[in-house]
PDB file of all heavy atoms in Angstrom:
ATOM      1  N   THR A 489      89.463 103.390  91.139  1.00  0.00           N
ATOM      2  CA  THR A 489      90.106 102.047  90.878  1.00  0.00           C
ATOM      3  C   THR A 489      91.385 101.911  91.598  1.00  0.00           C
ATOM      4  O   THR A 489      91.997 103.000  91.962  1.00  0.00           O
ATOM      5  CB  THR A 489      90.315 101.944  89.380  1.00  0.00           C
ATOM      6  OG1 THR A 489      91.314 102.903  88.900  1.00  0.00           O
ATOM      7  CG2 THR A 489      88.972 102.118  88.500  1.00  0.00           C
ATOM      8  N   PRO A 490      91.925 100.882  91.928  1.00  0.00           N
ATOM      9  CA  PRO A 490      91.361  99.536  91.660  1.00  0.00           C
ATOM     10  C   PRO A 490      90.161  99.175  92.514  1.00  0.00           C
ATOM     11  O   PRO A 490      89.363  98.287  92.208  1.00  0.00           O
ATOM     12  CB  PRO A 490      92.604  98.574  91.909  1.00  0.00           C
ATOM     13  CG  PRO A 490      93.357  99.238  92.910  1.00  0.00           C
ATOM     14  CD  PRO A 490      93.234 100.752  92.662  1.00  0.00           C
ATOM     15  N   PHE A 491      90.077  99.862  93.643  1.00  0.00           N
ATOM     16  CA  PHE A 491      88.899  99.652  94.499  1.00  0.00           C
ATOM     17  C   PHE A 491      88.306 101.045  94.896  1.00  0.00           C
ATOM     18  O   PHE A 491      88.994 101.914  95.156  1.00  0.00           O
ATOM     19  CB  PHE A 491      89.295  98.920  95.876  1.00  0.00           C
ATOM     20  CG  PHE A 491      89.952  97.622  95.662  1.00  0.00           C
ATOM     21  CD1 PHE A 491      91.288  97.447  95.778  1.00  0.00           C
ATOM     22  CD2 PHE A 491      89.150  96.458  95.213  1.00  0.00           C
ATOM     23  CE1 PHE A 491      91.910  96.135  95.468  1.00  0.00           C
ATOM     24  CE2 PHE A 491      89.753  95.344  94.982  1.00  0.00           C
ATOM     25  CZ  PHE A 491      91.146  95.173  95.050  1.00  0.00           C
ATOM     26  N   GLU A 492      86.898 101.070  94.967  1.00  0.00           N
ATOM     27  CA  GLU A 492      86.335 102.214  95.411  1.00  0.00           C
ATOM     28  C   GLU A 492      86.493 102.523  96.892  1.00  0.00           C
ATOM     29  O   GLU A 492      86.327 101.631  97.685  1.00  0.00           O
ATOM     30  CB  GLU A 492      84.820 102.182  94.990  1.00  0.00           C
ATOM     31  CG  GLU A 492      84.154 103.484  95.249  1.00  0.00           C
ATOM     32  CD  GLU A 492      82.732 103.530  94.706  1.00  0.00           C
ATOM     33  OE1 GLU A 492      82.306 102.611  94.083  1.00  0.00           O
ATOM     34  OE2 GLU A 492      82.022 104.546  94.959  1.00  0.00           O
ATOM     35  N   GLY A 493      86.759 103.737  97.242  1.00  0.00           N
ATOM     36  CA  GLY A 493      86.855 104.120  98.545  1.00  0.00           C
ATOM     37  C   GLY A 493      86.636 105.609  98.716  1.00  0.00           C
ATOM     38  O   GLY A 493      86.985 106.306  97.795  1.00  0.00           O
ATOM     39  N   HIS A 494      86.075 106.022  99.831  1.00  0.00           N
ATOM     40  CA  HIS A 494      85.904 107.458 100.018  1.00  0.00           C
ATOM     41  C   HIS A 494      86.391 107.856 101.543  1.00  0.00           C
ATOM     42  O   HIS A 494      85.924 107.352 102.495  1.00  0.00           O
ATOM     43  CB  HIS A 494      84.384 107.774  99.961  1.00  0.00           C
ATOM     44  CG  HIS A 494      83.889 107.338  98.597  1.00  0.00           C
ATOM     45  ND1 HIS A 494      84.106 108.077  97.417  1.00  0.00           N
ATOM     46  CD2 HIS A 494      83.240 106.189  98.288  1.00  0.00           C
ATOM     47  CE1 HIS A 494      83.539 107.282  96.374  1.00  0.00           C
ATOM     48  NE2 HIS A 494      82.973 106.288  96.929  1.00  0.00           N
ATOM     49  N   ASN A 495      87.448 108.642 101.526  1.00  0.00           N
ATOM     50  CA  ASN A 495      88.007 108.962 102.742  1.00  0.00           C
ATOM     51  C   ASN A 495      88.226 110.559 102.948  1.00  0.00           C
ATOM     52  O   ASN A 495      88.023 111.171 101.961  1.00  0.00           O
ATOM     53  CB  ASN A 495      89.417 108.315 102.821  1.00  0.00           C
ATOM     54  CG  ASN A 495      89.326 106.786 102.867  1.00  0.00           C
ATOM     55  OD1 ASN A 495      88.850 106.296 103.686  1.00  0.00           O
ATOM     56  ND2 ASN A 495      89.759 106.228 101.721  1.00  0.00           N
ATOM     57  N   THR A 496      88.693 110.955 103.931  1.00  0.00           N
ATOM     58  CA  THR A 496      89.147 112.318 104.324  1.00  0.00           C
ATOM     59  C   THR A 496      90.582 112.304 104.673  1.00  0.00           C
ATOM     60  O   THR A 496      91.026 111.402 105.504  1.00  0.00           O
ATOM     61  CB  THR A 496      88.268 112.929 105.444  1.00  0.00           C
ATOM     62  OG1 THR A 496      86.829 112.845 105.073  1.00  0.00           O
ATOM     63  CG2 THR A 496      88.581 114.258 105.768  1.00  0.00           C
ATOM     64  N   ALA A 497      91.345 113.116 104.115  1.00  0.00           N
ATOM     65  CA  ALA A 497      92.713 113.381 104.569  1.00  0.00           C
ATOM     66  C   ALA A 497      92.867 114.683 105.212  1.00  0.00           C
ATOM     67  O   ALA A 497      92.141 115.678 104.795  1.00  0.00           O
ATOM     68  CB  ALA A 497      93.666 113.254 103.215  1.00  0.00           C
ATOM     69  N   GLU A 498      93.545 114.718 106.197  1.00  0.00           N
ATOM     70  CA  GLU A 498      93.754 115.970 107.020  1.00  0.00           C
ATOM     71  C   GLU A 498      95.293 116.210 107.258  1.00  0.00           C
ATOM     72  O   GLU A 498      96.007 115.248 107.576  1.00  0.00           O
ATOM     73  CB  GLU A 498      93.121 115.928 108.329  1.00  0.00           C
ATOM     74  CG  GLU A 498      91.645 115.775 108.192  1.00  0.00           C
ATOM     75  CD  GLU A 498      90.834 115.725 109.570  1.00  0.00           C
ATOM     76  OE1 GLU A 498      91.485 116.257 110.521  1.00  0.00           O
ATOM     77  OE2 GLU A 498      89.775 115.131 109.678  1.00  0.00           O
ATOM     78  N   PHE A 499      95.736 117.371 107.033  1.00  0.00           N
ATOM     79  CA  PHE A 499      97.049 117.732 107.378  1.00  0.00           C
ATOM     80  C   PHE A 499      97.021 118.866 108.392  1.00  0.00           C
ATOM     81  O   PHE A 499      96.265 119.813 108.160  1.00  0.00           O
ATOM     82  CB  PHE A 499      97.856 118.320 106.121  1.00  0.00           C
ATOM     83  CG  PHE A 499      98.142 117.280 105.074  1.00  0.00           C
ATOM     84  CD1 PHE A 499      97.207 117.059 104.064  1.00  0.00           C
ATOM     85  CD2 PHE A 499      99.298 116.652 105.098  1.00  0.00           C
ATOM     86  CE1 PHE A 499      97.510 116.022 103.121  1.00  0.00           C
ATOM     87  CE2 PHE A 499      99.660 115.747 104.073  1.00  0.00           C
ATOM     88  CZ  PHE A 499      98.694 115.388 103.137  1.00  0.00           C
ATOM     89  N   THR A 500      97.677 118.697 109.491  1.00  0.00           N
ATOM     90  CA  THR A 500      97.758 119.757 110.520  1.00  0.00           C
ATOM     91  C   THR A 500      99.173 120.102 110.797  1.00  0.00           C
ATOM     92  O   THR A 500     100.076 119.336 110.727  1.00  0.00           O
ATOM     93  CB  THR A 500      97.050 119.369 111.865  1.00  0.00           C
ATOM     94  OG1 THR A 500      97.645 118.146 112.270  1.00  0.00           O
ATOM     95  CG2 THR A 500      95.617 119.075 111.737  1.00  0.00           C
ATOM     96  N   MET A 501      99.376 121.441 110.843  1.00  0.00           N
ATOM     97  CA  MET A 501     100.714 122.038 111.128  1.00  0.00           C
ATOM     98  C   MET A 501     100.690 122.845 112.303  1.00  0.00           C
ATOM     99  O   MET A 501     100.029 123.972 112.318  1.00  0.00           O
ATOM    100  CB  MET A 501     101.154 122.827 109.896  1.00  0.00           C
ATOM    101  CG  MET A 501     101.449 122.009 108.635  1.00  0.00           C
ATOM    102  SD  MET A 501     100.731 122.561 107.133  1.00  0.00           S
ATOM    103  CE  MET A 501      99.009 122.131 107.211  1.00  0.00           C
ATOM    104  N   LEU A 502     101.248 122.388 113.461  1.00  0.00           N
ATOM    105  CA  LEU A 502     101.174 123.054 114.721  1.00  0.00           C
ATOM    106  C   LEU A 502     102.594 123.501 115.050  1.00  0.00           C
ATOM    107  O   LEU A 502     103.503 122.738 115.124  1.00  0.00           O
ATOM    108  CB  LEU A 502     100.676 122.162 115.880  1.00  0.00           C
ATOM    109  CG  LEU A 502      99.250 121.501 115.566  1.00  0.00           C
ATOM    110  CD1 LEU A 502      98.987 120.449 116.601  1.00  0.00           C
ATOM    111  CD2 LEU A 502      98.332 122.647 115.613  1.00  0.00           C
ATOM    112  N   PRO A 503     102.731 124.954 115.339  1.00  0.00           N
ATOM    113  CA  PRO A 503     104.059 125.385 115.631  1.00  0.00           C
ATOM    114  C   PRO A 503     104.571 124.673 116.947  1.00  0.00           C
ATOM    115  O   PRO A 503     103.788 124.326 117.921  1.00  0.00           O
ATOM    116  CB  PRO A 503     103.723 126.793 115.981  1.00  0.00           C
ATOM    117  CG  PRO A 503     102.504 127.131 115.308  1.00  0.00           C
ATOM    118  CD  PRO A 503     101.687 125.880 115.322  1.00  0.00           C
ATOM    119  N   GLN A 504     105.797 124.331 116.931  1.00  0.00           N
ATOM    120  CA  GLN A 504     106.431 123.678 118.173  1.00  0.00           C
ATOM    121  C   GLN A 504     107.874 124.144 118.192  1.00  0.00           C
ATOM    122  O   GLN A 504     108.746 123.718 117.387  1.00  0.00           O
ATOM    123  CB  GLN A 504     106.281 122.209 117.802  1.00  0.00           C
ATOM    124  CG  GLN A 504     106.805 121.263 118.936  1.00  0.00           C
ATOM    125  CD  GLN A 504     106.630 119.747 118.635  1.00  0.00           C
ATOM    126  OE1 GLN A 504     107.023 119.363 117.467  1.00  0.00           O
ATOM    127  NE2 GLN A 504     106.100 119.012 119.536  1.00  0.00           N
ATOM    128  N   GLY A 505     108.074 124.956 119.150  1.00  0.00           N
ATOM    129  CA  GLY A 505     109.398 125.497 119.387  1.00  0.00           C
ATOM    130  C   GLY A 505     109.963 126.295 118.109  1.00  0.00           C
ATOM    131  O   GLY A 505     109.179 127.121 117.649  1.00  0.00           O
ATOM    132  N   ASP A 506     111.040 125.849 117.541  1.00  0.00           N
ATOM    133  CA  ASP A 506     111.552 126.559 116.375  1.00  0.00           C
ATOM    134  C   ASP A 506     111.096 125.831 115.050  1.00  0.00           C
ATOM    135  O   ASP A 506     111.634 126.008 113.987  1.00  0.00           O
ATOM    136  CB  ASP A 506     113.079 126.575 116.320  1.00  0.00           C
ATOM    137  CG  ASP A 506     113.791 125.281 116.323  1.00  0.00           C
ATOM    138  OD1 ASP A 506     113.026 124.267 116.569  1.00  0.00           O
ATOM    139  OD2 ASP A 506     114.933 125.226 116.055  1.00  0.00           O
ATOM    140  N   GLY A 507     110.078 124.970 115.157  1.00  0.00           N
ATOM    141  CA  GLY A 507     109.675 124.276 114.012  1.00  0.00           C
ATOM    142  C   GLY A 507     108.167 124.013 114.048  1.00  0.00           C
ATOM    143  O   GLY A 507     107.366 124.774 114.674  1.00  0.00           O
ATOM    144  N   THR A 508     107.666 122.884 113.333  1.00  0.00           N
ATOM    145  CA  THR A 508     106.313 122.538 113.144  1.00  0.00           C
ATOM    146  C   THR A 508     106.147 121.155 113.327  1.00  0.00           C
ATOM    147  O   THR A 508     106.867 120.394 112.637  1.00  0.00           O
ATOM    148  CB  THR A 508     105.832 123.077 111.768  1.00  0.00           C
ATOM    149  OG1 THR A 508     106.122 124.451 111.616  1.00  0.00           O
ATOM    150  CG2 THR A 508     104.352 122.878 111.619  1.00  0.00           C
ATOM    151  N   HIS A 509     105.105 120.757 114.056  1.00  0.00           N
ATOM    152  CA  HIS A 509     104.711 119.352 114.124  1.00  0.00           C
ATOM    153  C   HIS A 509     103.603 119.137 113.011  1.00  0.00           C
ATOM    154  O   HIS A 509     102.558 119.715 113.050  1.00  0.00           O
ATOM    155  CB  HIS A 509     104.099 119.046 115.465  1.00  0.00           C
ATOM    156  CG  HIS A 509     103.718 117.640 115.661  1.00  0.00           C
ATOM    157  ND1 HIS A 509     104.755 116.641 116.008  1.00  0.00           N
ATOM    158  CD2 HIS A 509     102.595 116.982 115.613  1.00  0.00           C
ATOM    159  CE1 HIS A 509     104.078 115.484 116.071  1.00  0.00           C
ATOM    160  NE2 HIS A 509     102.853 115.638 115.854  1.00  0.00           N
ATOM    161  N   VAL A 510     103.922 118.289 111.978  1.00  0.00           N
ATOM    162  CA  VAL A 510     103.024 118.082 110.837  1.00  0.00           C
ATOM    163  C   VAL A 510     102.437 116.723 111.008  1.00  0.00           C
ATOM    164  O   VAL A 510     103.194 115.668 111.164  1.00  0.00           O
ATOM    165  CB  VAL A 510     103.858 118.160 109.594  1.00  0.00           C
ATOM    166  CG1 VAL A 510     102.835 117.959 108.274  1.00  0.00           C
ATOM    167  CG2 VAL A 510     104.534 119.569 109.471  1.00  0.00           C
ATOM    168  N   THR A 511     101.154 116.579 110.826  1.00  0.00           N
ATOM    169  CA  THR A 511     100.443 115.325 110.944  1.00  0.00           C
ATOM    170  C   THR A 511      99.611 115.102 109.683  1.00  0.00           C
ATOM    171  O   THR A 511      98.934 115.996 109.198  1.00  0.00           O
ATOM    172  CB  THR A 511      99.456 115.298 112.095  1.00  0.00           C
ATOM    173  OG1 THR A 511     100.281 115.378 113.356  1.00  0.00           O
ATOM    174  CG2 THR A 511      98.758 113.900 112.177  1.00  0.00           C
ATOM    175  N   TRP A 512      99.823 113.831 109.109  1.00  0.00           N
ATOM    176  CA  TRP A 512      99.031 113.544 107.901  1.00  0.00           C
ATOM    177  C   TRP A 512      98.115 112.264 108.413  1.00  0.00           C
ATOM    178  O   TRP A 512      98.581 111.310 108.851  1.00  0.00           O
ATOM    179  CB  TRP A 512      99.974 113.053 106.945  1.00  0.00           C
ATOM    180  CG  TRP A 512      99.478 112.640 105.505  1.00  0.00           C
ATOM    181  CD1 TRP A 512      98.027 112.654 105.143  1.00  0.00           C
ATOM    182  CD2 TRP A 512     100.099 112.444 104.341  1.00  0.00           C
ATOM    183  NE1 TRP A 512      97.872 112.288 103.797  1.00  0.00           N
ATOM    184  CE2 TRP A 512      99.169 112.119 103.303  1.00  0.00           C
ATOM    185  CE3 TRP A 512     101.467 112.213 103.987  1.00  0.00           C
ATOM    186  CZ2 TRP A 512      99.573 111.803 101.992  1.00  0.00           C
ATOM    187  CZ3 TRP A 512     101.865 111.868 102.764  1.00  0.00           C
ATOM    188  CH2 TRP A 512     100.829 111.706 101.757  1.00  0.00           C
ATOM    189  N   LEU A 513      96.800 112.597 108.247  1.00  0.00           N
ATOM    190  CA  LEU A 513      95.861 111.614 108.746  1.00  0.00           C
ATOM    191  C   LEU A 513      94.844 111.391 107.623  1.00  0.00           C
ATOM    192  O   LEU A 513      94.489 112.305 106.822  1.00  0.00           O
ATOM    193  CB  LEU A 513      95.066 112.216 109.893  1.00  0.00           C
ATOM    194  CG  LEU A 513      93.654 111.527 110.257  1.00  0.00           C
ATOM    195  CD1 LEU A 513      93.905 110.137 110.806  1.00  0.00           C
ATOM    196  CD2 LEU A 513      92.943 112.437 111.232  1.00  0.00           C
ATOM    197  N   MET A 514      94.527 110.093 107.513  1.00  0.00           N
ATOM    198  CA  MET A 514      93.474 109.598 106.513  1.00  0.00           C
ATOM    199  C   MET A 514      92.527 108.772 107.254  1.00  0.00           C
ATOM    200  O   MET A 514      92.946 107.912 107.976  1.00  0.00           O
ATOM    201  CB  MET A 514      94.068 108.862 105.293  1.00  0.00           C
ATOM    202  CG  MET A 514      92.987 108.471 104.293  1.00  0.00           C
ATOM    203  SD  MET A 514      93.715 107.495 102.821  1.00  0.00           S
ATOM    204  CE  MET A 514      93.877 105.916 103.586  1.00  0.00           C
ATOM    205  N   HIS A 515      91.163 109.109 107.095  1.00  0.00           N
ATOM    206  CA  HIS A 515      90.261 108.307 107.789  1.00  0.00           C
ATOM    207  C   HIS A 515      88.942 108.171 106.985  1.00  0.00           C
ATOM    208  O   HIS A 515      88.722 109.042 106.033  1.00  0.00           O
ATOM    209  CB  HIS A 515      89.861 108.915 109.152  1.00  0.00           C
ATOM    210  CG  HIS A 515      89.389 110.220 109.166  1.00  0.00           C
ATOM    211  ND1 HIS A 515      88.101 110.488 109.012  1.00  0.00           N
ATOM    212  CD2 HIS A 515      90.089 111.461 109.235  1.00  0.00           C
ATOM    213  CE1 HIS A 515      87.912 111.905 109.011  1.00  0.00           C
ATOM    214  NE2 HIS A 515      89.173 112.450 109.126  1.00  0.00           N
ATOM    215  N   GLY A 516      88.203 107.054 107.198  1.00  0.00           N
ATOM    216  CA  GLY A 516      86.986 106.939 106.475  1.00  0.00           C
ATOM    217  C   GLY A 516      86.445 105.470 106.623  1.00  0.00           C
ATOM    218  O   GLY A 516      87.033 104.684 107.308  1.00  0.00           O
ATOM    219  N   PRO A 517      85.218 105.367 106.095  1.00  0.00           N
ATOM    220  CA  PRO A 517      84.647 103.900 106.295  1.00  0.00           C
ATOM    221  C   PRO A 517      85.435 102.941 105.555  1.00  0.00           C
ATOM    222  O   PRO A 517      85.923 103.102 104.482  1.00  0.00           O
ATOM    223  CB  PRO A 517      83.238 104.118 105.736  1.00  0.00           C
ATOM    224  CG  PRO A 517      83.415 105.257 104.745  1.00  0.00           C
ATOM    225  CD  PRO A 517      84.489 106.148 105.268  1.00  0.00           C
ATOM    226  N   ALA A 518      85.503 101.762 106.187  1.00  0.00           N
ATOM    227  CA  ALA A 518      86.180 100.548 105.574  1.00  0.00           C
ATOM    228  C   ALA A 518      85.039  99.650 105.111  1.00  0.00           C
ATOM    229  O   ALA A 518      84.401  99.046 105.806  1.00  0.00           O
ATOM    230  CB  ALA A 518      87.053  99.794 106.610  1.00  0.00           C
TER     231      ALA A 518
END
């Protein structure tokens, strides 16, 4: 609720120099 939806969320953490490149992705059918 309030609307039905089914998605996938992905978090990736890639080392980058002295830190990390973090990506938050959500995808699925509309």
